[in-house]
Amino acid sequence: EGGASMDDLHKRLSRRIHDLALKRKLSANKLADFAGIGRGYLSEVLAGKKSPTVRTLSKIANALDVTVKALFE
């Protein structure tokens, strides 16, 4: 109780990744390429259909030049 549901967490995470990518003028495809992850996989993460691993979050954060923690702020 008191915590965000997984759906809420996925929505916040995907919105934050999207916003950070926009700030850096990165398309989802470019972000996936820079992060070294599949474009389709990133698309599913952004749609809230996949839960990324900590390793994947680290790759996305590095590609966005932020910390993993910043993805959740």
Side-chain angles (χ1 to χ4, degrees), residues 53-68:
T53 63
V54 172
R55 182 180 184 145
T56 298
L57 287 174
S58 180
K59 289 178 174 185
I60 292 169
N62 285 336
L64 292 168
D65 199 28
V66 297
T67 63
V68 170

Side-chain angles (χ1 to χ4, degrees), residues 18-28 30-31 34 64:
H18 180 77
D19 289 348
L20 288 167
L22 277 179
K23 254 188 192 175
R24 286 155 181 77
K25 297 181 170 67
L26 289 177
S27 68
K30 277 212 186 303
L31 176 56
F34 289 160
L64 292 168

